[in-house]
Amino acid sequence: MTTTTTSETPVSTRDRAPRGPGRAGLPAPVPGLASALVWGAGQLINRQAGKAAFFFACFAGTIVWEIATGNYYAGMDFTARANGGFFIRGLWGLITLGTRPREMTLTGLTEGDNSIVLMANGLIALLTLALLAILWGWSVRDAVRYRRALNAGGAAEASRTYFRRLWEGAFAYIVLSPGMVLLVFMAVLPVLFGILVAFTNYNRDNLPPKNLVDWVGLDNFATIFAVPSWTATFAGILGWTLVWAVLATVTTYAAGLFQAVLLASPKVKFPRMWRSVFLLPWAVPAIVSALVFRSMFNGQFGPVSQWLVDLGVTDERVYWFTDPSHPNLARAVALLVNLWLGFPFFMALVGGVLANIPESYYEAARIDGAGPVQQFRHITLPIVQRTVMPLLVLSFVHNFNNFGVIYFLTEGGPDNVDYRFAGSTDLLVTWLFKLTLDNRLYNIGAVMSLVVFVIVGAVSVLNLNRTKAIREL
Amino acid sequence: MAAPMRARDRATSALLHLQLLAVAVVVVFPLLWVVGSSFGPGGGLANAGPIPANATFDNYVELFTRTDYGRWYLNSLYVAVLNMVGSVVLSALCGWVFARIRFRGRKASMLAILVLQMFPSFLTAIAVYMLFLNFGLLDSLTGLALVSIAAALPYNTWLMKGYTDNLPASLDEAAALDGAGRLTIFRKIVLPLMRPMLTFVAITSFTVPWMDFILPRLLLQSSDKQTVAIGLFQLITDQYANDFTTFAAGAVVLAVPITILYIVLQRHLVTGAMAGAEKG
């Protein structure tokens, strides 16, 4: 019997690179160190020319980019501001936010440093550097790991095979890249930028390029939480936003539930027709409905005030949204309008759930002598609650941030003299909108954004932990 | 015993239908009011009423001649089409990749998308405004469309991923065995199966730009770039040109197609919304 000896490390002859002397036994960290200093050097030591070329190209590209966008020349007195390129000047700009504002000199208006542009460019430079750092780490790790595999007697792998392997694995990344690039530039970058603005003094008194914007650390937070007029405004608006969110969610849910139960009754004739009619407030664009209601409740010309006077309920026209002495009028009307707009959604939802409850449950209950109220309390309600609960939380978050209903209906009014730039029906988001667009207090607005994000984020995370989504991850 | 039962049944039925009728009146009246005003005599709120004395199209004519409504409509249409195409393509591709391909960083990316979804898009809009303001990128309809696509991308990707998860992978595998490349599998097998959910994404991403107020208000400046929502808001709030009846005509023109679309596709849309909510 012949024994076949199989080599311990099967080597594919196609990929085998010729082993040269002096390579075997090189300690693993050496190529790593080489790659750390000059990208691709380690790969070169490992005899992988293609990979070496790739990493070195990235390395060289970075340096060339920096020099090309900068102002480097021999014998210069190096300052980041005057000579730095994309990366160095970018980082400088992010840290200092500019040192020289636009000035009128003897020769005319100087260019000046635009703090915000510097900050944004700096942010982009920082993120790019982070990406390059990842590339750097990759080249070092790759060099070390490959050397270690070679020392253990593994096969040598030609660069071409490596890249082909990479292509297969990178397919996902390539297809995802348009979406991801769009997200990074249109969502992630602005958000980071917004967070940074919260720590500056960028507002209408400090508009670049005439003025420089500075980092002020936590001063803006101190303003909101320490200066009495701001704290009162913040606390008041936060309180109303919470009350609004709770009441809005509860009323729309209750009304929708009630209506769905009624519609599900077998006594109803033409249920589909009624359902379609009741869906109208949901189908009509909210902006249209809100503006219509705004006109209907207009104090000077609106029909509602007119009818109340005609019917003799009030002596003179009621100013629903503009009367500072009766802020609760506006709040009540806002809740009612939101009820009109919101109940169809819950009605449709609950209706769907009700349709799926087996009739046998109700029959069994009837046989046991349960009346309609008992059937509702012990069968209908628990089943509906279970399905609808996550949507109730979503609805709470949606109402918390319900810019449209409030802004179109009342524009946050009536005005409140105790509040800074806000009215009695303003939610955090509408106040934020006014701060940013109308009053150009970008820094305070940014702080508000963070606060809203923290609150909403906390609620969303708590809700998320209860859903299937996180478990499926 | 049957007679008293029937009387009580009849009373309950009458009460029931009375309630339904009352709610229907409350629901329909404001809509009737605005439609009626649009056909009535022009000249502002004082002349508005649900049943016009002499129905005329004057307000509609005025809408297109005296205001820039036509321009606004075209702008909104442009943004809506761009938004629809971009959202459908990107969410289909990204959703498919997340659902079918196991790649490094998949779990981290999915978590990131979940987190991004939670961040109220309103706050992103404010930040985008500040960024664009300083780079002179404001006042661009294409920019508005791109930001809209990006704002809805996490949610849409999540929807498509969830839907694709439920599609049987056996068809993909069979095609792969037959030698089909990945993109071919996507184009010929997965995409047709995704169609119901893609329709939902297409409908929502087409209708939203018509009704969106915050993003256009922040990102657009010149008067010939405004969208319909902004224009309508201006008609109501402009102190010097306050003309309710023209607004009514504009509101009807905007609302009727969208309302019909939503009513016709109601089941579809509610299921889609539920699917999204259920999954996170």
Side-chain angles (χ1 to χ4, degrees):
Chain A
M1 234 168 52
T2 48
T3 50
T4 40
T5 47
T6 48
S7 112
E8 272 189 15
T9 56
V11 171
S12 150
T13 44
R14 231 182 352 140
D15 294 326
R16 188 210 284 256
R19 282 172 170 265
R23 264 190 3 142
L26 198 60
V30 171
L33 206 59
S35 263
L37 293 172
V38 177
W39 303 5
Q43 274 75 17
L44 207 55
I45 299 180
N46 284 340
R47 294 281 184 107
Q48 289 180 309
K51 271 161 63 173
F54 169 70
F55 284 116
F56 188 70
C58 293
F59 185 57
T62 313
I63 300 193
V64 167
W65 183 250
E66 166 68 26
I67 296 184
T69 52
N71 207 4
Y72 293 90
Y73 52 89
M76 64 183 171
D77 227 343
F78 183 79
T79 56
R81 182 179 185 278
N83 310 97
F86 178 66
F87 294 107
I88 300 201
R89 188 155 198 273
L91 285 179
W92 166 82
L94 187 61
I95 299 175
T96 63
L97 288 185
T99 47
R100 260 181 263 155
R102 180 175 282 183
E103 289 165 332
M104 182 59 91
T105 63
L106 289 171
T107 46
L109 212 55
T110 60
E111 192 44 50
D113 292 336
N114 186 325
S115 301
I116 297 299
V117 171
L118 280 177
M119 184 163 89
N121 281 332
L123 192 59
I124 299 178
L126 189 65
L127 290 177
T128 320
L129 280 177
L131 265 172
L132 289 172
I134 295 178
L135 208 65
W136 191 6
W138 177 22
S139 86
V140 171
R141 254 183 43 168
D142 173 77
V144 171
R145 260 197 302 158
Y146 185 65
R147 169 52 54 181
R148 206 168 280 153
L150 271 186
N151 288 348
E157 185 184 48
S159 301
R160 205 162 5 121
T161 332
Y162 177 75
F163 279 119
R164 205 179 317 151
R165 220 170 21 101
L166 208 61
W167 173 257
E168 284 294 305
F171 179 75
Y173 300 108
I174 295 176
V175 173
L176 281 180
S177 50
M180 294 297 128
V181 164
L182 189 68
L183 263 184
V184 164
F185 277 98
M186 297 289 173
V188 175
L189 197 66
V191 164
L192 289 176
F193 176 77
I195 295 179
L196 286 182
V197 169
F199 296 99
T200 67
N201 63 357
Y202 180 39
N203 58 23
R204 63 183 168 194
D205 299 323
N206 272 319
L207 288 177
K210 195 161 88 93
N211 309 79
L212 285 181
V213 175
D214 298 309
W215 295 108
V216 294
L218 296 172
D219 278 0
N220 296 323
F221 293 87
T223 314
I224 297 270
F225 293 115
V227 173
S229 61
W230 282 104
T231 322
T233 315
F234 176 63
I237 296 187
L238 178 64
W240 162 240
T241 310
L242 283 171
V243 167
W244 158 267
V246 168
L247 281 180
T249 312
V250 166
T251 51
T252 46
Y253 174 56
L257 176 65
F258 180 66
Q259 203 59 57
V261 167
L262 283 187
L263 264 187
S265 158
K267 296 202 190 77
V268 174
K269 296 202 251 291
F270 313 116
R272 287 246 293 272
M273 176 201 80
W274 294 110
R275 223 182 95 112
S276 289
V277 169
F278 293 162
L279 277 182
L280 278 175
W282 168 80
V284 173
I287 178 173
V288 167
S289 315
L291 290 178
V292 169
F293 275 111
R294 183 201 184 115
S295 306
M296 281 181 79
F297 282 93
N298 184 307
Q300 264 189 306
F301 303 111
V304 175
S305 301
Q306 190 62 48
W307 296 327
L308 285 183
V309 169
D310 289 342
L311 288 175
V313 176
T314 57
D315 289 329
E316 40 177 42
R317 304 186 68 112
V318 180
Y319 284 77
W320 301 95
F321 300 138
T322 44
D323 190 354
S325 51
H326 294 109
N328 287 321
L329 268 182
R331 294 174 176 167
V333 173
L335 278 169
L336 285 176
V337 170
N338 187 59
L339 180 62
W340 187 90
L341 284 168
F343 89 91
F345 177 71
F346 277 112
M347 180 191 78
L349 215 62
V350 173
V353 176
L354 288 180
N356 286 329
I357 301 181
E359 181 61 28
S360 48
Y361 289 9
Y362 292 109
E363 272 191 35
R366 255 182 305 231
I367 293 177
D368 284 346
V373 177
Q374 280 172 314
Q375 289 174 33
F376 177 74
R377 257 184 54 201
H378 297 282
I379 303 178
T380 319
L381 211 52
I383 296 183
V384 168
Q385 303 273 63
R386 216 178 18 179
T387 321
V388 166
M389 204 37 138
L391 283 155
L392 277 177
V393 179
L394 274 178
S395 172
F396 176 82
V397 171
H398 170 75
N399 281 320
F400 191 87
N401 284 334
N402 202 339
F403 177 84
V405 172
I406 295 287
Y407 192 75
F408 300 139
L409 200 60
T410 62
E411 264 182 280
D415 284 326
N416 191 323
V417 283
D418 299 325
Y419 283 171
R420 292 280 226 125
F421 309 110
S424 300
T425 48
D426 260 322
L427 302 178
L428 281 176
V429 284
T430 55
W431 184 40
L432 172 53
F433 186 77
K434 286 184 190 173
L435 280 176
T436 310
L437 207 62
D438 299 333
N439 297 298
R440 295 184 295 164
L441 292 172
Y442 303 115
N443 53 344
I444 308 279
V447 171
M448 278 294 93
S449 287
L450 276 178
V451 171
V452 171
F453 172 58
V454 165
I455 298 178
V456 168
V459 173
S460 298
V461 165
L462 287 175
N463 190 35
L464 206 60
N465 279 334
R466 307 165 65 247
T467 65
K468 292 194 283 181
I470 208 93
R471 271 171 261 144
E472 266 171 26
L473 242 148
Chain B
M1 267 344 275
M5 288 276 279
R6 240 184 286 136
R8 194 179 67 185
D9 268 353
R10 272 215 305 270
T12 339
S13 175
L15 235 79
L16 186 60
H17 285 92
L18 204 63
Q19 195 269 357
L20 294 178
L21 195 63
V23 174
V25 165
V26 168
V27 160
V28 168
F29 184 75
L31 305 173
L32 201 63
W33 191 67
V34 72
V35 172
S37 306
S38 71
F39 287 112
L45 201 46
N47 289 341
I51 320 249
N54 312 315
T56 117
F57 275 104
D58 280 351
N59 293 316
Y60 289 89
V61 173
E62 221 178 86
L63 184 70
F64 285 97
T65 51
R66 255 204 332 127
T67 64
D68 283 330
Y69 197 81
R71 173 95 257 155
W72 300 335
Y73 208 83
L74 286 175
N75 290 339
S76 287
L77 187 65
Y78 175 72
V79 176
V81 168
L82 223 62
N83 196 20
M84 176 174 79
V85 169
S87 283
V88 166
V89 167
L90 285 178
S91 63
L93 280 174
C94 295
W96 169 64
V97 168
F98 275 113
R100 286 281 187 261
I101 306 184
R102 297 282 178 277
F103 58 92
R104 232 200 22 232
R106 178 172 174 267
K107 287 228 158 120
S109 312
M110 288 209 289
L111 196 63
I113 289 195
L114 219 57
V115 168
L116 269 178
Q117 217 183 310
M118 268 179 357
F119 202 77
S121 66
F122 179 75
L123 304 179
T124 328
I126 298 269
V128 169
Y129 167 69
M130 281 195 286
L131 201 59
F132 279 25
L133 175 66
N134 287 284
F135 279 90
L137 291 172
L138 290 179
D139 220 27
S140 152
L141 286 171
T142 320
L144 175 63
L146 285 175
V147 176
S148 302
I149 297 176
L153 191 59
Y155 178 67
N156 288 331
T157 309
W158 194 257
L159 277 182
M160 293 316 303
K161 173 197 170 285
Y163 191 77
T164 318
D165 278 339
N166 288 330
L167 295 175
S170 46
L171 291 167
D172 295 27
E173 287 159 21
L177 283 175
D178 284 345
R182 272 179 165 146
L183 282 178
T184 327
I185 298 181
F186 176 66
R187 228 168 14 102
K188 296 230 166 104
I189 299 180
V190 182
L191 208 51
L193 286 176
M194 278 178 163
R195 198 169 299 156
M197 209 41 154
L198 279 183
T199 322
F200 174 73
V201 170
I203 296 173
T204 41
S205 49
F206 185 76
T207 52
V208 162
W210 295 94
M211 311 184 281
D212 193 12
F213 179 81
I214 303 174
L215 271 180
R217 176 79 177 86
L218 287 172
L219 298 179
L220 299 173
Q221 287 179 322
S222 42
S223 57
D224 64 343
K225 292 246 169 80
Q226 303 296 309
T227 59
V228 175
I230 312 277
L232 283 179
F233 186 73
Q234 276 172 2
L235 280 178
I236 285 276
T237 53
D238 195 343
Q239 285 174 302
Y240 305 108
N242 193 323
D243 197 342
F244 179 71
T245 41
T246 321
F247 160 79
V252 169
V253 172
L254 172 66
V256 166
I258 297 186
T259 310
I260 295 180
L261 196 68
Y262 272 42
I263 293 281
V264 164
L265 295 165
Q266 52 174 275
R267 187 147 301 154
H268 214 77
L269 291 166
V270 174
T271 342
M274 272 208 74
E278 205 183 295
K279 287 269 173 176

